[in-house]
Amino acid sequence: MDTLSILPEGCISEILSFTSALDASRSSIVSKEFKSAAENDDVWKKFLPPDYEEIISTSVSPVKYATKKDLYIRLCGSPLLINGGKMSFSLDKSNGKKCFMVGSRELLISWKGCWDFMSNPKSRFSEVAKLRSIGWIHIQGKIKTQMLSKNTTYAAYLVFWLDRMDGLKSSKTLVRFLNDRSKNNTSNEHFETGKIAKMRGDGWVEIEIGKLYNGYVDDGAGEVEAWLTEVNSPHAKSGLIVEGIEFRPL
């Protein structure tokens, strides 16, 4: 007799809720009892962020789902446009942590008169920013620390398109906390990236701006600032298109 089959489904569900989404999915093949327990809404609610209802309530379009598992899978596979379509929200497939991208319209871009905002079929946002004239650039994005997953290491990336993969190799970058009161938060100092952009699965490319650790913030007063400045190789930046700055958990 399979000893697992004598466990109550509620007990199995409680056990699975302390694992991960991947483990819960894998457990479905153990037995029919585990398969039933692994579909339980209470299990998948534990894998969703505590504030998921608040976040999806700001979606630009209604979010429909049959089960919590359906919602989790959707957020892992398709970013949700929130905050008037100026930001996107998704879950990291590997760990279920929150991932945000700040769209180009929400970024602080110096010399905006040198940029055009236009639609792009590859973009999740209604508009992207395209550099019209050759010159130096400074692109800055901010996000509140309370939006990010707590006690989690993040990396910030500039998401863009440029014909030359090394066009931003000499960029200066910075990630830091603003109005920070937590001793647990750490960020990168100013440095030369020396990195070449990498292709993404969504048709864009990205370059890492820096890493940070989001410790516990009890009053939600903190902000994370990430920026990239490029004053060298003006011709290497020709045709630069910026989709946004993404804060992605590691």
Side-chain angles (χ1 to χ4, degrees):
M1 179 180 179
D2 184 359
T3 55
L4 294 175
S5 64
I6 65 175
L7 289 175
E9 182 178 316
C11 181
I12 299 175
S13 295
E14 182 69 16
I15 293 171
L16 292 178
S17 69
F18 288 98
T19 61
S20 67
L22 180 59
D23 290 333
S25 297
R26 287 173 173 171
S27 71
S28 297
I29 65 175
V30 173
S31 68
K32 63 180 181 180
E33 289 79 16
F34 264 71
K35 179 176 176 59
S36 178
E39 299 292 325
N40 192 301
D41 262 5
D42 290 336
V43 172
W44 289 89
K45 186 176 181 179
K46 289 287 188 69
F47 302 146
L48 290 164
D51 57 349
Y52 78 93
E53 292 181 318
E54 179 183 351
I55 295 173
I56 65 177
S57 70
T58 67
S59 171
V60 298
S61 56
V63 181
K64 298 179 181 180
Y65 55 93
T67 66
K68 295 293 194 299
K69 180 179 180 180
D70 290 340
L71 176 61
Y72 183 93
I73 293 173
R74 174 180 176 178
L75 293 176
C76 285
S78 179
L80 195 68
L81 292 180
I82 61 173
N83 296 353
K86 297 177 181 179
M87 182 180 290
S88 72
F89 163 68
S90 61
L91 296 179
D92 187 271
K93 293 180 181 179
S94 62
N95 54 32
K97 300 285 189 175
K98 293 186 284 186
C99 179
F100 293 93
M101 187 186 295
V102 182
S104 60
R105 271 295 187 184
E106 195 72 358
L107 298 177
L108 299 176
I109 302 178
S110 297
W111 302 101
K112 278 198 171 181
C114 299
W115 296 78
D116 290 321
F117 288 88
M118 60 185 65
S119 62
N120 187 294
K122 294 192 302 182
S123 179
R124 67 189 66 179
F125 301 108
S126 61
E127 291 181 310
V128 296
K130 183 175 183 180
L131 185 62
R132 187 189 327 129
S133 58
I134 297 173
W136 67 273
I137 61 173
H138 180 87
I139 302 169
Q140 178 183 345
K142 296 180 181 180
I143 190 171
K144 294 184 181 298
T145 54
Q146 65 183 25
M147 296 182 68
L148 302 176
S149 295
K150 295 177 181 178
N151 302 319
T152 301
T153 299
Y154 276 83
Y157 301 87
L158 179 69
V159 181
F160 64 99
W161 180 258
L162 189 59
D163 290 335
R164 288 189 55 174
M165 294 290 283
D166 63 344
L168 299 179
K169 185 177 180 180
S170 60
S171 303
K172 301 280 190 178
T173 63
L174 175 70
V175 174
R176 64 179 178 178
F177 288 89
L178 305 175
N179 304 320
D180 178 39
R181 299 176 183 178
S182 170
K183 295 181 180 180
N184 295 323
N185 289 337
T186 58
S187 58
N188 277 345
E189 298 296 331
H190 188 262
F191 69 99
E192 289 265 356
T193 64
K195 299 175 182 177
I196 296 178
K198 298 179 180 180
M199 286 294 303
R200 294 163 52 99
D202 57 5
W204 294 88
V205 295
E206 66 182 24
I207 192 168
E208 184 183 302
I209 297 176
K211 295 183 177 68
L212 59 100
Y213 177 75
N214 186 41
Y216 181 77
V217 180
D218 56 358
D219 58 7
E223 273 190 312
V224 176
E225 174 188 61
W227 57 253
L228 178 145
T229 298
E230 171 59 85
V231 298
N232 302 309
S233 306
H235 295 286
K237 301 191 293 289
S238 180
L240 173 65
I241 300 175
V242 174
E243 186 182 35
I245 290 180
E246 184 174 55
F247 295 88
R248 193 167 71 233
L250 299 177

